[in-house]
Amino acid sequence: MESRAASPQAQGEDGAFMAYMISVKLRDQLPHQVYRRYKFFAKLHLQLQKLQAKQATTAAADGGEPPSPLPPLPGKKLFGSSSKAFVNKRRLALQFYLQELGRSMYASAPDYLSFLGVEVDMLSGGGGFDWTTRTGK
């Protein structure tokens, strides 16, 4: 699976927020795009942190290997977050974040897959965080 964050677009009333287009290509499916706001990346990160903590607890109890660390999520900036330089820097950081997740043990996590617009129900029989729509609005 390949994913790439690109083409940030101002959305909402008067361009109130930025949404990042994520191009997703799976081996056996047609490529598609989803739009995600930064807050959805933050929600994904939180869900994966919960998964990581659960796996760490299980590994400690079983004497197994601890889970891999999550890649860092780029920080939130309250002011000046719509400047072209900032938006491009964040886009690159989010792209790195997605690439690292895609190479990690978290690449098969239902929350990660549903974040990318992959039909989790078809892959694993359920679950996944509700990311509203494929456009991320």
Side-chain angles (χ1 to χ4, degrees):
M1 173 172 37
E2 296 175 29
S3 59
R4 182 179 190 101
S7 305
Q9 297 178 1
Q11 294 186 353
E13 260 185 57
D14 299 324
F17 60 86
M18 298 299 291
Y20 297 85
M21 181 182 78
I22 303 169
S23 298
V24 180
K25 172 70 174 107
L26 297 170
R27 288 186 201 109
D28 59 344
Q29 293 184 9
L30 293 173
H32 68 272
Q33 292 82 34
V34 292
Y35 289 85
R36 298 292 184 249
R37 295 174 63 174
Y38 176 83
K39 73 178 190 176
F40 290 131
F41 280 90
K43 285 181 180 181
L44 171 64
H45 195 73
L46 180 62
Q47 294 295 338
L48 294 177
Q49 284 176 323
K50 290 177 183 177
L51 175 62
Q52 182 185 38
K54 183 178 178 181
Q55 290 176 339
T57 301
T58 301
D62 297 342
E65 287 279 325
S68 314
L70 285 167
L73 179 67
K76 184 166 179 78
K77 183 177 179 184
L78 298 177
F79 300 104
S81 61
S82 61
S83 74
K84 286 185 180 184
F86 174 79
V87 169
N88 190 51
K89 185 176 178 181
R90 179 181 272 176
R91 180 190 63 79
L92 292 172
L94 292 173
Q95 182 171 313
F96 176 78
Y97 178 75
L98 289 174
Q99 288 172 343
E100 290 299 303
L101 284 178
R103 288 191 272 257
S104 74
M105 63 182 277
Y106 304 102
S108 60
D111 288 320
Y112 174 69
L113 294 171
S114 64
F115 175 83
L116 294 176
V118 175
E119 299 294 332
V120 176
D121 290 338
M122 292 171 60
L123 295 175
S124 65
F129 192 83
D130 179 13
W131 302 105
T132 65
T133 66
R134 283 196 142 200
T135 61
K137 294 178 185 173

